[in-house]
Amino acid sequence: MSYDANHAPSAHHDEHEQHGTETTMFGFWVYLMTDCIIFGTLFAVFATLCHQFAGGPTGKELFDLKNVEIETAILLLSSITYGFALINAHAKKKGAVLVWLLLTFILGVSFVCLEISEFSELVAHGAGPDKSAFLSSFFALVGTHGLHVTIGLIWMVVLFFQVLGRQGLGSRMMTKLTCLSLFWHFLDIVWICVFSFVYLGSVV
Amino acid sequence: MLGKLTLSAIPYDVPILVGTFIGVAVIGIAVLAAVTYFKKWGYLWREWLTTVDHKKLAVMYIILGLVMLVRGFADAVMMRTQLALAYAGNPGYLPPHHYDQVFSAHGTIMIFFMAMVIMQALFNFVVPLQIGARDVAFPLINSISFYMTLVSAILINISLFIGEFSNVGWLGYPPVSELQFNPGVGVDYYIWSVQISGIGTLLTGMNFLTTIVKLRAPGMKWMQIPVFTWTTFFSCIMILTTFPVLTVSMALLALDRYLGMHFFTNDGGGSVMLYLNLIWSWGHPEVYILILPAFGVFSEIAATFSGKPLFGYASMVFATGVITILGSIVWVHHFFTMGAGADVNTFFGIMTMFIAVPTGVKIFNWLFTMYKGRVRFEGPMNWIVGFMITFSIGGMTGVMMAMPAADWVIHNSLFLVAHFHNVIIGGVFFGYVAGISYWFPKAFGFKLRDVWGKWAFRFWFVGFYLSFIPLYAVGLEGMTRRMNHYDNPNWHPWLLVACVGVFVLAAGVCCQVIQFVFGAIDAVTKKPDALDLTGDNWGSGRTLEWSIPSPVPHYNFARLPVIRGLDTFHIEKELGRPAPVGELEPIHMPKYSAVGPILGVFALVIGFALVWHIWWAVIVALLGAFVTVVHRSANLDVDFYVPVEEIRADEEAFAQRLAAAKAAE
Amino acid sequence: MKRLWRFLPALPALMLSGCTVDLLQPRGPIGEGNRDMMVLEFAVMMCVVVPVCIATLVFAWKYRASNTKAEYLRNWSHSNKIEVFIWGVPVAIIIFLSVVNYWSTHYYDPYKPISQEMLDKAGAPNAKPLHVEVVSLDWKWLFIYPDLGIATINELDVPTKTPLDFRITSDSVMTSFFIPQLGSQIYSMAGMETQLHLMANVPGNYQGEAAQYTGPGFSDMRFRTIAMPDEQFQAWVQNVRAGDNAFAAKEGLNAQTYPQYAAPPAVSHEEAPKPAPVTYFSSVQSDLFENIVAKYNNGKVRAEDGKVMDMNSMDMHSSTDAAAPSHTGM
């Protein structure tokens, strides 16, 4: 019972890694599914409240589709660039991985910046989240997505420096890169739903 | 600097709270002093607080769950005595401001910090052992789960002494929980403690689902998984599908309260009905999350103590799956009185009734497990007989409430309160207590004294009926729940009886405490007949956990077991236990880690600071948590190999004990 | 085990020994329906529960380890016959109950007016419904009789053998409008209108309550429901209109006087808020109820014919703005 695990010699990383990767990927998939339910719930909330304008502005009056289309393009593009990062990681081309990650990061940051400017414009025009239930649910849904993207970007920075550092492109690092890749593509899919149901749905 | 927190938030003018605080402080100081005196801080930190071993985490969960049981039970005693007194003009001793917090805390604590905690203890202890795994899929995340649960329990108890707790019931229905009607910090304490513990539970769900899917011993097919693990599997699926919804509901309520949004407010287009739908689409599956593992415990116990395999294993697994599905599509039965159309109410009513089918099947399965068996009524088996009777009655009243035309008059009445205590005490609680006494020797290597367990059962059984049959009666007399005082003369005698009942239950709790105290004494004095030398403490264990030594070595299995079918260990005993074959190999294990407790501290700071609007502390703690995670992610020194010599020594010692036990027979 | 035997027969006796059991002694057709459903389900379920409890005890006794004479099948764990039985019996019972469920949920639907069948049974085939508008407040009930032009607080007077058509809303938190001896309850929610149809067949003084927690004044948020024969009820209406009784308010109830009556009582941590006294209003503004609903809907209310009416002309917001009721008194 009282085995002092802290002072035992370190394990070598060999055949156990393969088994570990598979388990980690399964666990991460399970996590993504729960995140999917979070977004699903937020979509349901939006669907329930999207006509509760409480005398405030409607989506048709507020949303600038052009801006949203640019955001969509940027995010889809960032998925592609991340894909290239992963391909190069499998080919163990460290330099290329770093470049593609950097590119993805820049695209991600510009997405977040565009979203922040959209939000601040809405708030400045008196259409903040406390105006009506419609706007509350809009900000909650789109904001949660933005928060996820931001967390993904922070994660990307951490991985960038870890790839640069002593972890290189070892099997543990590959697992991490693959997890972030799943996360990033997942956010893309969620955004496509946001774009179709929230923006297009409100304007049409 | 300190947000909304001022000295006036400390309720030093409420004698009950001051007394409680002194009591807690004295016990706390005594414990800390004892740890210091015996120089156990290092041991505690290295061996327990930083552990990632699922068995040690299970022990810590159990301790937390039992402490919270006592806290929640104290609330129950206060409510019952208040209602015994507060009749015909007598205001009782708890004004609404205090009483309302008591019933809210009772519900919140009993569900989130007693039942969920003991449930996770059982997951942790039993599942890896039953499937022949050496740990869970993500040992560090397991430790983080525990700390999220622990700190949220601490947060809810801080609310006793700093500020106040929620006064709007365990589900925090808006609009009464909205800022407009509830400007205090009580609801915020509720939101953040539920939110943090929810994160812990969600991580547990992911961890154990992955463990069961990926880490079963080589060759263990799906239909060879022990029933407790099956119920854990389905319970985890429900955790994963519904806890995100709880997270969202709590987050939206918090957005309403903190940022003035309009999800559930009266004005601005908010919808109360939306909250009810969200919270119950988590809340109803939640009761199945709790009861399924209890069903699993009963299945294991029924087979072990009847000396027979579980009757209808396949139909038991199937029934559990059906409950998982049906349990997720019945939530509207919590508000048939909302004014939904007759067709909607009928659909949810009928779905609810149909849950009685798989549940009934399970009862019959246990019944036929006893049939033509050799039933031994040791401690754990007592609870199952009590359970089958009590739960059948609770199921009956549940079906009564599933019919909208009946529910329209018993909704929100004490009949309802009696019903869910009937299934939660008679089902969940009896099951968990049985589980604790069943696996206790496996965890600690010695038995608890059975006689105190039996007395605990008797008091709980009788006390349950004394406390809750009267509540059915006053429910039928039209008494609604959450009343603080009343003047209806018909209700008074029943509530007096219920008050007596709660003290009988208290006697049961005392017996359980005594049982643990005697257990500890027996362990320290190494009382010979209390020791479990063979690992198969009950003599008729069927599943893998009984094939290894008690207490279990930190790596669980010296050699990964070979699966021979359902109930592998039973088959091995029938055929004669095979000698270990092949060379021992070093075992790959995770190192202990301080990440769990450190993240726990940050989570506690975040929760407390959010309650009191201390924004800088929220930011500092978030940054701290981030640095901790990044640091861990860069740490490559996270695992080690258990040397063969150590495993061999353990194995030989166990073989000697087994031989000695055989010779003694 | 002996303890169990001694205790079980006492259960039904305990359950039946109360004096007035409101839900089992209803005073109207809806309540009778609720009761019949409960009793029916209880009876049907007892057909399973009693045998299961008996079997549990019998098996536990018969197959106890010390009884070595009993048969012991140490590996027996499956029987198709038993499986069919244990799945079949519950399915059959639940199918039967589901049919009853479908029928009763529709027949006793709170939104459905009292049926002609119930009226015939009560001996009042031609009774015209009485409309009552119910508003839940902190912590009292306001009853508006739109057809009679009167209103009351915390007392609901109704004629017997007359269908009661309730429209229900809240001007505060959500709660549930419930008169146990008349039957079904329905939630009251701000900005929304729910409906309930009840009828009292027997004169009497029945308890009415808020069945959903509303805050510190919850326990006293009760009203008496006084059911009386029609002639007496007409006399009571005249009395209220005349305004010369102990409960009469000084003025009629309208948009100007409403906020002062709707305001919550003082709240403290030390004791429960004072219950509101019974009050009669000799006159009431005819669209008061619509205005209360409208003030949470941006001044709009959906009429029964589906048209949206703008109620913005009146200022009813005083109780939700600055003087917002604070339940915790902080």
Side-chain angles (χ1 to χ4, degrees):
Chain A
M1 275 292 262
S2 58
Y3 188 83
D4 185 357
N6 290 313
H7 297 101
S10 247
H12 309 290
H13 303 277
D14 43 356
E15 80 280 6
H16 292 285
E17 290 293 332
Q18 203 46 50
H19 162 75
T21 302
E22 206 186 297
T23 307
T24 308
M25 294 313 297
F26 182 87
F28 195 76
W29 265 109
V30 173
Y31 155 72
L32 280 186
M33 291 305 102
T34 63
D35 224 2
C36 198
I37 292 171
I38 287 193
F39 279 109
T41 312
L42 287 169
F43 273 110
V45 169
F46 180 79
T48 314
L49 299 177
C50 65
H51 297 296
Q52 301 297 331
F53 304 114
T58 66
K60 206 167 188 165
E61 295 160 23
L62 288 175
F63 297 146
D64 171 18
L65 269 195
K66 203 164 164 206
N67 188 37
V68 183
E69 277 156 10
I70 297 170
E71 283 178 291
T72 310
I74 289 176
L75 204 60
L76 290 180
L77 202 59
S78 80
S79 253
I80 298 170
T81 54
Y82 196 98
F84 280 116
L86 204 60
I87 291 171
N88 282 295
H90 282 295
K92 304 291 170 205
K93 290 181 189 156
K94 202 164 157 180
V97 171
L98 292 176
V99 171
W100 284 113
L101 276 185
L102 193 66
L103 213 57
T104 315
F105 179 78
I106 292 169
L107 288 170
V109 168
S110 23
F111 172 85
V112 172
C113 289
L114 279 176
E115 191 163 297
I116 290 174
S117 76
E118 186 200 350
F119 278 11
S120 49
E121 225 166 277
L122 285 179
V123 174
H125 285 89
D130 53 352
K131 182 74 196 166
S132 67
F134 156 68
L135 282 164
S136 298
S137 61
F138 166 77
F139 274 92
L141 173 54
V142 181
T144 304
H145 178 268
L147 193 66
H148 273 73
V149 174
T150 312
I151 291 168
L153 289 173
I154 296 171
W155 190 0
M156 212 176 284
V157 173
V158 173
L159 292 195
F160 184 88
F161 286 105
Q162 287 184 349
V163 171
L164 206 59
R166 64 194 169 115
Q167 293 203 34
L169 290 169
S171 70
R172 215 179 118 169
M173 201 61 219
M174 290 305 291
T175 310
K176 290 186 198 174
L177 284 170
T178 318
C179 284
L180 179 56
S181 141
L182 286 177
F183 187 70
W184 202 250
H185 296 316
F186 168 73
L187 291 181
D188 239 14
I189 296 170
V190 173
W191 179 258
I192 289 169
C193 297
V194 170
F195 177 70
S196 334
F197 295 123
V198 177
Y199 288 102
L200 285 183
S202 297
V203 174
V204 175
Chain B
M1 186 67 181
L2 287 179
K4 286 159 75 178
L5 183 57
T6 58
L7 265 186
S8 63
I10 296 166
Y12 41 76
D13 53 339
V14 183
I16 297 173
L17 291 179
V18 174
T20 314
F21 180 74
I22 294 170
V24 171
V26 167
I27 295 171
I29 290 169
V31 170
L32 296 184
V35 173
T36 313
Y37 180 78
F38 293 109
K39 298 203 171 63
K40 288 292 184 192
W41 281 111
Y43 164 78
L44 206 58
W45 175 256
R46 280 192 309 276
E47 294 300 326
W48 289 92
L49 298 180
T50 57
T51 189
V52 296
D53 182 339
H54 66 97
K55 302 175 288 295
K56 287 184 179 174
L57 287 169
V59 171
M60 295 199 288
Y61 270 118
I62 286 280
I63 294 170
L64 174 64
L66 293 178
V67 170
M68 288 294 106
L69 169 69
V70 172
R71 160 79 213 273
F73 191 80
D75 289 333
V77 173
M78 289 168 82
M79 285 188 280
R80 288 275 72 86
T81 42
Q82 162 72 13
L83 282 190
L85 292 172
Y87 163 61
N90 181 346
Y93 67 104
L94 292 174
H97 177 72
H98 193 172
Y99 178 81
D100 299 350
Q101 293 179 51
V102 170
F103 70 65
S104 305
H106 172 75
T108 313
I109 285 176
M110 285 304 202
I111 294 292
F112 289 98
F113 301 109
M114 189 283 284
M116 287 302 280
V117 170
I118 297 182
M119 179 193 82
Q120 293 181 77
L122 293 172
F123 283 9
N124 264 284
F125 187 75
V126 181
V127 168
L129 300 183
Q130 277 198 334
I131 61 173
R134 282 175 173 145
D135 208 323
V136 295
F138 308 107
L140 178 64
I141 289 182
N142 206 14
S143 144
I144 296 171
S145 291
F146 169 74
Y147 279 101
M148 293 301 129
T149 312
L150 174 69
V151 299
S152 48
I154 292 175
L155 189 60
I156 208 174
N157 283 295
I158 288 178
S159 75
L160 261 184
F161 310 123
I162 306 177
E164 57 181 6
F165 189 63
S166 162
N167 60 341
V168 292
W170 79 286
L171 282 183
Y173 272 21
V176 72
S177 60
E178 291 283 1
L179 206 58
Q180 183 192 352
F181 302 102
N182 232 316
V185 294
V187 178
D188 302 324
Y189 266 116
Y190 164 80
I191 289 174
W192 297 114
S193 52
V194 167
Q195 199 68 299
I196 296 172
S197 89
I199 293 169
T201 308
L202 207 45
L203 291 176
T204 298
M206 281 174 220
N207 216 338
F208 280 84
L209 186 77
T210 312
T211 306
I212 296 169
V213 173
K214 286 287 177 188
L215 296 193
R216 299 197 305 282
M220 183 182 270
K221 300 194 188 82
W222 282 97
M223 289 311 275
Q224 294 172 338
I225 296 176
V227 176
F228 178 80
T229 302
W230 262 121
T231 54
T232 304
F233 175 80
F234 284 116
S235 180
C236 286
I237 286 184
M238 278 199 278
I239 287 176
L240 294 168
T241 50
T242 60
F243 266 76
V245 182
L246 174 71
T247 306
V248 172
S249 343
M250 286 294 125
L252 300 186
L253 185 58
L255 287 173
D256 273 3
R257 288 179 60 86
Y258 281 76
L259 298 178
M261 295 201 191
H262 291 290
F263 291 103
F264 316 122
T265 51
N266 275 348
D267 51 353
S271 167
V272 180
M273 297 191 287
L274 177 63
Y275 185 86
L276 264 64
N277 275 290
L278 287 178
I279 201 78
W280 280 116
S281 62
W282 159 79
H284 195 78
E286 164 69 8
V287 300
Y288 291 98
I289 290 169
L290 292 175
I291 195 76
L292 287 183
F295 288 166
V297 171
F298 288 127
S299 304
E300 303 292 345
I301 292 175
T304 298
F305 289 96
S306 301
K308 271 175 77 222
L310 179 71
F311 179 86
Y313 167 84
S315 96
M316 189 65 108
V317 173
F318 182 67
T320 312
V322 172
I323 292 178
T324 304
I325 295 166
L326 286 179
S328 307
I329 48 171
V330 297
W331 74 90
V332 171
H333 70 212
H334 293 272
F335 41 89
F336 283 146
T337 51
M338 187 186 267
D343 290 329
V344 173
N345 285 342
T346 310
F347 172 80
F348 283 96
I350 290 178
M351 283 301 131
T352 308
M353 286 184 165
F354 264 93
I355 294 185
V357 174
T359 318
V361 167
K362 280 166 171 281
I363 297 267
F364 282 120
N365 277 340
W366 296 312
L367 202 54
F368 283 102
T369 304
M370 290 203 288
Y371 178 69
K372 297 195 176 171
R374 283 273 183 273
V375 188
R376 290 180 288 132
F377 288 96
E378 290 175 60
M381 195 64 199
N382 277 337
W383 295 97
I384 187 171
V385 175
F387 152 78
M388 284 169 69
I389 293 166
T390 312
F391 197 78
S392 301
I393 295 169
M396 172 189 75
T397 55
V399 172
M400 287 171 74
M401 303 198 74
M403 189 169 309
D407 181 68
W408 287 324
V409 284
I410 38 189
H411 174 76
N412 265 348
S413 69
L414 282 182
F415 188 92
L416 164 79
V417 173
H419 158 71
F420 68 68
H421 283 88
N422 199 333
V423 285
I424 286 188
I425 292 179
V428 175
F429 185 76
F430 281 16
Y432 292 178
V433 176
I436 292 173
S437 52
Y438 180 59
W439 280 296
F440 188 90
K442 180 52 46 189
F444 293 98
F446 63 89
K447 294 180 209 180
L448 292 171
R449 293 192 188 174
D450 214 30
V451 63
W452 287 105
K454 284 181 180 166
W455 275 108
F457 166 72
R458 288 165 193 154
F459 282 124
W460 268 95
F461 189 76
V462 173
F464 166 78
Y465 286 99
L466 272 181
S467 307
F468 291 100
I469 294 298
L471 297 197
Y472 277 124
V474 284
L476 290 177
E477 288 172 1
M479 183 172 184
T480 54
R481 67 198 293 205
R482 293 173 180 164
M483 284 188 126
N484 169 264
H485 53 269
Y486 56 96
D487 50 17
N488 188 326
N490 289 342
W491 299 346
H492 190 54
W494 292 112
L495 293 166
L496 287 176
V497 176
C499 184
V500 172
V502 85
F503 285 101
V504 177
L505 290 177
V509 174
C510 287
C511 288
Q512 287 168 309
V513 172
I514 292 170
Q515 196 189 19
F516 284 119
V517 171
F518 273 129
I521 292 172
D522 290 352
V524 171
T525 58
K526 298 221 172 355
K527 190 163 162 260
D529 59 337
L531 290 179
D532 172 22
L533 298 173
T534 63
D536 185 13
N537 171 62
W538 306 106
S540 50
R542 313 180 67 86
T543 39
L544 285 174
E545 72 267 32
W546 305 108
S547 69
I548 49 178
S550 310
V552 182
H554 62 97
Y555 49 81
N556 294 357
F557 293 88
R559 298 155 199 272
L560 283 184
V562 179
I563 305 302
R564 293 162 202 277
L566 185 61
D567 295 349
T568 292
F569 182 54
H570 176 74
I571 297 171
E572 284 187 347
K573 283 194 289 186
E574 295 281 283
L575 303 174
R577 291 177 78 170
V581 281
E583 282 295 297
L584 281 172
E585 281 176 15
I587 296 173
H588 184 216
M589 294 296 288
K591 277 195 176 177
Y592 287 6
S593 167
V595 170
I598 292 172
L599 285 182
V601 170
F602 286 132
L604 182 59
V605 172
I606 292 172
F608 186 80
L610 281 170
V611 168
W612 292 100
H613 297 212
I614 311 171
W615 306 119
W616 63 267
V618 177
I619 294 166
V620 168
L622 271 175
L623 281 176
F626 173 69
V627 170
T628 313
V629 171
V630 171
H631 180 261
R632 163 74 189 187
S633 146
N635 185 358
L636 299 177
D637 182 21
V638 292
D639 43 10
F640 70 101
Y641 279 96
V642 185
V644 171
E645 302 78 54
E646 185 199 339
I647 308 169
R648 184 172 297 126
D650 287 351
E651 198 176 39
E652 278 164 8
F654 183 48
Q656 275 172 9
R657 291 211 301 268
L658 279 180
K662 200 158 194 187
E665 264 175 23
Chain C
M1 277 308 97
K2 255 187 172 170
R3 188 174 294 273
L4 295 183
W5 283 111
R6 247 185 295 144
F7 196 71
L8 270 177
L11 289 185
L14 266 174
M15 289 179 86
L16 295 174
S17 64
C19 337
T20 9
V21 186
D22 295 26
L23 301 186
L24 300 182
Q25 289 154 317
R27 296 290 181 253
I30 299 293
E32 280 167 10
N34 299 134
R35 179 206 50 202
D36 293 348
M37 288 306 111
M38 275 199 288
V39 171
L40 173 81
E41 286 196 289
F42 181 77
V44 171
M45 288 303 287
M46 271 300 178
C47 299
V48 193
V49 171
V50 170
V52 164
C53 290
I54 291 173
T56 305
L57 295 170
V58 167
F59 285 7
W61 177 249
K62 187 165 178 202
Y63 298 109
R64 67 193 187 277
S66 57
N67 180 16
T68 47
K69 277 178 293 178
E71 197 178 356
Y72 179 32
L73 299 176
R74 62 201 311 270
N75 284 320
W76 179 76
S77 67
H78 182 74
S79 151
N80 280 333
K81 260 188 232 163
I82 294 178
E83 291 275 355
V84 169
F85 170 79
I86 63 180
W87 282 92
V89 170
V91 166
I93 290 174
I94 296 302
I95 286 178
F96 168 72
L97 285 180
S98 297
V99 173
V100 180
N101 190 331
Y102 181 89
W103 172 80
S104 66
T105 307
H106 286 78
Y107 190 76
Y108 295 109
D109 185 4
Y111 274 52
K112 224 178 78 175
I114 298 295
S115 67
Q116 191 60 44
E117 199 181 334
M118 293 176 196
L119 290 176
D120 292 344
K121 225 165 138 194
N126 300 317
K128 291 277 161 290
L130 173 74
H131 294 279
V132 184
E133 294 164 343
V134 182
V135 184
S136 61
L137 297 162
D138 276 341
W139 291 278
K140 53 193 162 270
W141 292 92
L142 168 65
F143 302 102
I144 301 169
Y145 299 77
D147 304 339
L148 307 175
I150 58 171
T152 60
I153 285 176
N154 276 1
E155 187 182 297
L156 173 64
D157 295 75
V158 295
T160 52
K161 305 195 176 186
T162 306
L164 306 172
D165 291 7
F166 295 101
R167 297 166 67 200
I168 303 161
T169 193
S170 170
D171 193 9
S172 172
V173 302
M174 181 183 101
T175 188
S176 192
F177 172 70
F178 187 31
I179 306 163
Q181 284 193 284
L182 297 190
S184 301
Q185 63 185 298
I186 276 291
Y187 283 166
S188 71
M189 292 173 278
M192 270 175 274
E193 179 201 314
T194 47
Q195 296 175 26
L196 179 63
H197 296 84
L198 300 173
M199 184 160 87
N201 278 351
V202 185
N205 183 332
Y206 309 124
Q207 169 161 271
E209 48 197 34
Q212 169 72 40
Y213 176 76
T214 51
F218 168 64
S219 304
D220 292 315
M221 191 172 168
R222 282 172 288 158
F223 57 93
R224 299 312 306 185
T225 305
I226 299 165
M228 52 194 126
D230 196 44
E231 317 80 65
Q232 261 183 46
F233 178 73
Q234 296 308 336
W236 175 81
V237 171
Q238 291 313 323
N239 190 9
V240 172
R241 280 190 183 138
D244 55 349
N245 54 64
F247 305 122
K250 283 196 293 293
E251 64 265 284
L253 192 63
N254 54 44
Q256 284 71 45
T257 56
Y258 172 77
Q260 93 186 60
Y261 290 102
V267 174
S268 84
H269 286 186
E270 282 73 37
E271 54 182 14
K274 295 270 167 293
V278 171
T279 311
Y280 293 165
F281 297 97
S282 55
S283 72
V284 66
Q285 184 176 319
S286 63
D287 59 356
L288 188 64
F289 183 84
E290 280 77 14
N291 276 286
I292 293 169
V293 175
K295 77 184 215 188
Y296 296 101
N297 288 314
N298 202 35
K300 301 218 166 36
V301 65
R302 193 173 293 277
E304 268 166 56
D305 55 5
K307 263 191 265 164
V308 176
M309 296 188 290
D310 199 336
M311 309 294 294
N312 252 343
S313 50
M314 286 176 43
D315 179 26
M316 299 268 305
H317 286 67
S318 47
S319 74
T320 51
D321 296 341
S326 140
H327 283 187
T328 48
M330 286 184 73

